[in-house]
Amino acid sequence: MAERRNGWYKRQDDDTYLCMTSNFKMFLDGEDHWRVGRNDHGFLRSVEAANGAPPHNIEAWKFYVEEEKTWIDAEKEIRVSICTQQELEEQQDDGVAQIAESIAEASSNVGVACAFLHFSPNPVVQVGAGGLRQINADVKAEADDAFIIASCTKSMTATLCGIFVQEGHLAWDSTVEGVLGITGTFGAVTLHELLTHQSRMPRPWKKYNTDHVKPPDPEEDSDNDLWIQRRRQLIEGVLAVAEPYEEEGFHYSNLGYIVVACMLEEVSKLRWEELMMERLFEPLGITTGVLDYPGRLEADDDKRAEYAWPHKGSPPVPIDPKDVSVTFGAPVGGCCLSVADWARYLAVHVDYGWAHSKLGLVQETMVFLHAPFEGSSYACGWHCQVSKTLSHGVLFHDGLSSAGPRCWVRVDLGLKVAAMYICNGKCVGKQAMSKLMRAGRNEVQGFHENEESDEEDHDHDDDDDDE
């Protein structure tokens, strides 16, 4: 059994420490030095550490390059090394595909993609798909099709905030007035309160858009400055007339996450969509990610037909992507991507070492993102609970787009595993996915878990993400 110490694991038979990302081995070399070896590179360096303790944050590391006999600050170098050498492994899995097919068959054959993510020791995602891209066309859904993840986008917006807080551009207690200069009822609301739905802001926002602010026209879609201006104009008008909930506490609010996006845009001078691409998608290797319905801006009908269209109603009716848009609500629930790319993002929340290696996020930041607000069970973009059987922290979320598609994800922080599905219509898949999660956890932990689900069947209907 390994002894855990400051984010590292010490083997009992020697002085070797293993990082949570499992790619560095540390051992004591003298009174105040540690040495680090990377098996796939073969290099060996020394590391300065106070009082002989293993270094905890990469920012504090100084590496000794033996060939040059010099000490260097190597945070950037080590991050690049990790990012280029460690990648998520994607596997097509028949068992996962069977679960996807079972969900599709029970849901009028809408398209469904499922995945199970675990670390072994690097992240591995097993994927499968079922159903059709469009139920009126005989084209099967594929695991690499992009689907909307609706309210599960919220944790991405929160993760961007974690990056900006860590870099000093924002603070968890930054206020709406302090960042945006908006006074009045909601001026004292903090970033943390917005992310945890403690702001008392109303859930819908369209009815308060009395100024009738509209997003840029499709031909202006690439004008990022105009988008920033319009989104800011929208929330200034809405917050001036919106009626707060009377009672304090948890009130799910999509409006709050649009305000968060404006705060990010104010301090960065970049559109939220640009930040998502540059600070999350690119470093995580996400290639299918878009921030509106896939194919919406495709002028060619044949090209648009190649995408997994959203379906609404029961029985489901396909909707041409050109006729729907998440508009201002993208930071609330507008991210679309493949299930494997979703796993690339979720790996950051499954393993804190991976979060650091890919995004530079330290454990303190990740723990804060995953901690529920006092007196609540909602953290920053995540519902939280403790697994009754395993006593592990569990994060979960679902999402239901106003155009019809649904998704669901559950993360077991103790075992570092996650299960998820995304679909292009209304579907019933939580029981099947709970079965997938149990089967995956059984394999990871090496013993059989009770067939009865140890988690409650939470269905928060976090829907209408563009409202």
Side-chain angles (χ1 to χ4, degrees):
M1 193 68 174
E3 170 195 353
R4 185 168 179 172
R5 178 178 172 188
N6 290 340
W8 301 78
Y9 292 87
K10 179 182 182 299
R11 294 201 315 218
Q12 291 183 343
D13 56 341
D14 58 25
D15 286 325
T16 299
Y17 279 78
L18 186 65
C19 177
M20 288 191 297
T21 53
S22 301
N23 65 307
F24 291 111
K25 289 187 176 180
M26 311 290 296
F27 61 92
L28 191 61
D29 177 32
E31 184 177 350
D32 293 323
H33 293 158
W34 294 78
R35 296 177 69 83
V36 57
R38 180 82 181 269
N39 291 335
D40 55 353
H41 278 280
F43 64 72
L44 194 64
R45 295 173 176 172
S46 298
V47 184
E48 288 185 332
N51 302 320
H56 180 48
N57 296 329
I58 286 180
E59 288 89 341
W61 293 6
K62 284 183 178 292
F63 285 84
Y64 184 73
V65 183
E66 293 187 334
E67 296 84 332
E68 301 175 10
K69 306 298 182 185
T70 57
W71 288 93
I72 60 171
D73 291 310
E75 182 218 352
K76 182 176 180 181
E77 179 181 340
I78 205 67
R79 280 192 59 198
V80 170
S81 175
I82 294 172
C83 291
T84 55
Q85 296 300 323
Q86 280 188 275
E87 298 300 335
L88 177 142
E89 179 183 352
E90 180 180 344
Q91 301 174 349
Q92 296 286 331
D93 187 90
D94 290 341
V96 177
Q98 289 175 3
I99 290 178
E101 287 285 3
S102 70
I103 296 173
E105 289 172 2
S107 309
S108 303
N109 219 26
V110 297
V112 178
C114 299
F116 180 75
L117 169 69
H118 61 100
F119 277 71
S120 163
N122 293 332
V124 176
V125 60
Q126 298 162 294
V127 302
L132 301 172
R133 287 178 177 172
Q134 302 158 42
I135 61 171
N136 59 355
D138 190 22
V139 180
K140 291 186 177 181
E142 302 289 344
D144 59 358
D145 285 339
F147 297 84
I148 191 165
I149 62 170
S151 272
C152 294
T153 305
K154 288 182 171 69
S155 79
M156 293 182 169
T157 299
T159 300
L160 280 177
C161 291
I163 294 172
F164 273 64
V165 168
Q166 193 171 286
E167 292 177 350
H169 306 298
L170 286 170
W172 297 119
D173 60 358
S174 293
T175 63
V176 172
E177 180 178 0
V179 177
L180 299 175
I182 298 176
T183 58
T185 304
F186 303 104
V189 171
T190 68
L191 176 64
H192 189 214
E193 289 170 334
L194 290 166
L195 293 172
T196 54
H197 299 298
Q198 300 287 326
S199 67
R200 296 172 60 211
M201 290 183 185
R203 176 171 183 158
W205 55 267
K206 285 188 175 180
K207 71 176 183 178
Y208 295 108
N209 186 16
T210 55
D211 293 336
H212 305 291
V213 180
K214 295 181 179 179
D217 295 329
E219 59 269 20
E220 301 173 311
D221 191 77
S222 61
D223 189 337
N224 292 319
D225 290 339
L226 182 60
W227 265 102
I228 293 173
Q229 176 187 335
R230 292 282 178 87
R231 189 142 44 204
R232 175 68 172 268
Q233 183 182 356
L234 170 80
I235 63 109
E236 287 178 347
V238 169
L239 292 183
V241 298
E243 300 173 1
Y245 288 99
E246 292 184 3
E247 296 182 0
E248 295 184 354
F250 177 84
H251 298 285
Y252 197 88
S253 173
N254 290 328
L255 172 59
Y257 270 74
I258 302 178
V259 176
V260 168
C262 288
M263 296 172 77
L264 289 166
E265 291 174 342
E266 174 62 27
V267 299
S268 69
K269 308 305 179 186
L270 294 173
R271 181 181 168 189
W272 173 86
E273 287 81 353
E274 292 179 278
L275 294 173
M276 286 284 288
M277 290 291 183
E278 294 178 9
R279 305 306 299 270
L280 290 186
F281 289 1
E282 290 181 12
L284 294 176
I286 293 173
T287 58
T288 63
V290 292
L291 298 165
D292 208 333
Y293 284 95
R296 184 178 77 86
L297 298 179
E298 288 279 4
D300 187 279
D301 291 348
D302 292 335
K303 286 283 188 182
R304 225 168 33 254
E306 296 176 2
Y307 294 88
W309 285 17
H311 293 68
K312 192 166 186 176
S314 183
V317 177
I319 303 173
D320 193 319
K322 69 180 177 61
D323 297 326
V324 291
S325 175
V326 295
T327 63
F328 292 120
V332 173
C335 179
C336 300
L337 73 179
S338 72
V339 72
D341 273 348
W342 193 12
R344 286 181 171 85
Y345 164 71
L346 291 171
V348 167
H349 292 272
V350 171
D351 185 280
Y352 292 170
W354 191 257
H356 197 299
S357 69
K358 288 294 186 180
L359 300 179
L361 289 168
V362 299
Q363 182 168 327
E364 179 183 3
T365 301
M366 298 306 299
V367 169
F368 190 93
L369 288 172
H370 294 166
F373 194 90
E374 185 176 358
S376 172
S377 62
Y378 197 92
C380 298
W382 290 102
H383 295 283
C384 311
Q385 68 182 85
V386 176
S387 169
K388 298 173 184 175
T389 303
L390 301 171
S391 299
H392 289 161
V394 174
L395 307 174
F396 63 97
H397 220 289
D398 64 346
L400 175 62
S401 167
S402 60
R406 180 139 216 167
C407 66
W408 178 91
V409 61
R410 186 177 296 274
V411 174
D412 187 315
L413 294 173
L415 292 175
K416 297 184 182 179
V417 298
M420 68 216 77
Y421 77 74
I422 46 181
C423 63
N424 62 351
K426 185 178 181 180
C427 64
V428 286
K430 285 193 175 181
Q431 288 185 345
M433 291 304 294
S434 292
K435 182 178 180 180
L436 172 63
M437 179 63 117
R438 284 197 303 273
R441 290 194 300 203
N442 289 341
E443 182 177 344
V444 169
Q445 64 193 358
F447 64 84
H448 188 67
E449 188 178 327
N450 193 323
E451 284 296 327
E452 296 295 325
S453 175
D454 66 327
E455 292 106 10
E456 300 173 20
D457 185 20
H458 291 269
D459 190 346
H460 292 264
D461 283 330
D462 299 334
D463 58 350
D464 292 336
D465 291 325
D466 56 350
E467 290 295 325

mmCIF file of all heavy atoms in Angstrom, residues 14 156 222 233 237 261 301 320 348 354 424:
data_model
loop_
_atom_site.group_PDB
_atom_site.id
_atom_site.type_symbol
_atom_site.label_atom_id
_atom_site.label_comp_id
_atom_site.label_asym_id
_atom_site.label_seq_id
_atom_site.Cartn_x
_atom_site.Cartn_y
_atom_site.Cartn_z
ATOM 1 N N ASP A 14 10.850 1.449 -0.654
ATOM 2 C CA ASP A 14 11.989 2.311 -0.950
ATOM 3 C C ASP A 14 11.547 3.765 -0.835
ATOM 4 O O ASP A 14 10.482 4.068 -0.333
ATOM 5 C CB ASP A 14 12.582 2.009 -2.339
ATOM 6 C CG ASP A 14 11.552 2.174 -3.456
ATOM 7 O OD1 ASP A 14 10.577 2.940 -3.269
ATOM 8 O OD2 ASP A 14 11.726 1.548 -4.515
ATOM 9 N N MET A 156 -17.227 23.780 -17.837
ATOM 10 C CA MET A 156 -16.162 24.332 -18.680
ATOM 11 C C MET A 156 -15.988 25.824 -18.414
ATOM 12 O O MET A 156 -14.862 26.321 -18.280
ATOM 13 C CB MET A 156 -16.475 24.095 -20.151
ATOM 14 C CG MET A 156 -16.457 22.642 -20.575
ATOM 15 S SD MET A 156 -16.791 22.479 -22.347
ATOM 16 C CE MET A 156 -16.360 20.747 -22.597
ATOM 17 N N SER A 222 -18.337 36.082 -36.972
ATOM 18 C CA SER A 222 -16.909 36.084 -36.637
ATOM 19 C C SER A 222 -16.440 37.398 -36.031
ATOM 20 O O SER A 222 -15.258 37.531 -35.696
ATOM 21 C CB SER A 222 -16.077 35.768 -37.887
ATOM 22 O OG SER A 222 -16.293 36.749 -38.891
ATOM 23 N N GLN A 233 -24.227 44.278 -23.412
ATOM 24 C CA GLN A 233 -25.443 45.090 -23.505
ATOM 25 C C GLN A 233 -26.644 44.301 -22.992
ATOM 26 O O GLN A 233 -27.510 44.845 -22.286
ATOM 27 C CB GLN A 233 -25.672 45.511 -24.959
ATOM 28 C CG GLN A 233 -26.883 46.418 -25.179
ATOM 29 C CD GLN A 233 -27.091 46.754 -26.648
ATOM 30 O OE1 GLN A 233 -26.292 46.379 -27.510
ATOM 31 N NE2 GLN A 233 -28.175 47.457 -26.944
ATOM 32 N N GLY A 237 -28.877 45.303 -19.477
ATOM 33 C CA GLY A 237 -30.310 45.559 -19.528
ATOM 34 C C GLY A 237 -31.106 44.592 -18.686
ATOM 35 O O GLY A 237 -32.038 44.990 -17.958
ATOM 36 N N ALA A 261 -19.573 34.829 -18.091
ATOM 37 C CA ALA A 261 -18.898 34.968 -19.381
ATOM 38 C C ALA A 261 -18.516 36.418 -19.634
ATOM 39 O O ALA A 261 -17.417 36.711 -20.140
ATOM 40 C CB ALA A 261 -19.794 34.456 -20.503
ATOM 41 N N ASP A 301 -26.773 22.390 -48.169
ATOM 42 C CA ASP A 301 -27.683 21.447 -47.529
ATOM 43 C C ASP A 301 -27.061 20.066 -47.369
ATOM 44 O O ASP A 301 -27.258 19.401 -46.342
ATOM 45 C CB ASP A 301 -28.979 21.328 -48.344
ATOM 46 C CG ASP A 301 -29.818 22.603 -48.282
ATOM 47 O OD1 ASP A 301 -29.503 23.468 -47.444
ATOM 48 O OD2 ASP A 301 -30.771 22.731 -49.071
ATOM 49 N N ASP A 320 -33.340 21.085 -38.591
ATOM 50 C CA ASP A 320 -32.190 21.526 -39.374
ATOM 51 C C ASP A 320 -31.348 22.473 -38.517
ATOM 52 O O ASP A 320 -31.884 23.438 -37.950
ATOM 53 C CB ASP A 320 -32.664 22.245 -40.638
ATOM 54 C CG ASP A 320 -31.543 22.453 -41.651
ATOM 55 O OD1 ASP A 320 -30.415 22.794 -41.219
ATOM 56 O OD2 ASP A 320 -31.794 22.296 -42.850
ATOM 57 N N VAL A 348 -9.527 16.171 -16.952
ATOM 58 C CA VAL A 348 -9.020 17.242 -16.091
ATOM 59 C C VAL A 348 -9.683 17.176 -14.718
ATOM 60 O O VAL A 348 -9.054 17.459 -13.691
ATOM 61 C CB VAL A 348 -9.271 18.613 -16.757
ATOM 62 C CG1 VAL A 348 -9.061 19.753 -15.777
ATOM 63 C CG2 VAL A 348 -8.387 18.776 -17.979
ATOM 64 N N TRP A 354 -3.472 15.403 -14.004
ATOM 65 C CA TRP A 354 -3.730 15.652 -15.430
ATOM 66 C C TRP A 354 -4.161 17.107 -15.637
ATOM 67 O O TRP A 354 -3.784 17.749 -16.612
ATOM 68 C CB TRP A 354 -4.817 14.701 -15.925
ATOM 69 C CG TRP A 354 -4.987 14.672 -17.414
ATOM 70 C CD1 TRP A 354 -5.974 15.266 -18.134
ATOM 71 C CD2 TRP A 354 -4.147 14.012 -18.362
ATOM 72 N NE1 TRP A 354 -5.810 15.014 -19.475
ATOM 73 C CE2 TRP A 354 -4.695 14.246 -19.638
ATOM 74 C CE3 TRP A 354 -2.988 13.240 -18.244
ATOM 75 C CZ2 TRP A 354 -4.112 13.737 -20.797
ATOM 76 C CZ3 TRP A 354 -2.417 12.735 -19.408
ATOM 77 C CH2 TRP A 354 -2.979 12.982 -20.659
ATOM 78 N N ASN A 424 -28.768 13.117 -29.582
ATOM 79 C CA ASN A 424 -29.305 14.236 -30.363
ATOM 80 C C ASN A 424 -30.820 14.331 -30.253
ATOM 81 O O ASN A 424 -31.494 14.864 -31.129
ATOM 82 C CB ASN A 424 -28.879 14.136 -31.833
ATOM 83 C CG ASN A 424 -29.395 12.883 -32.512
ATOM 84 O OD1 ASN A 424 -29.940 12.001 -31.866
ATOM 85 N ND2 ASN A 424 -29.197 12.795 -33.821
#
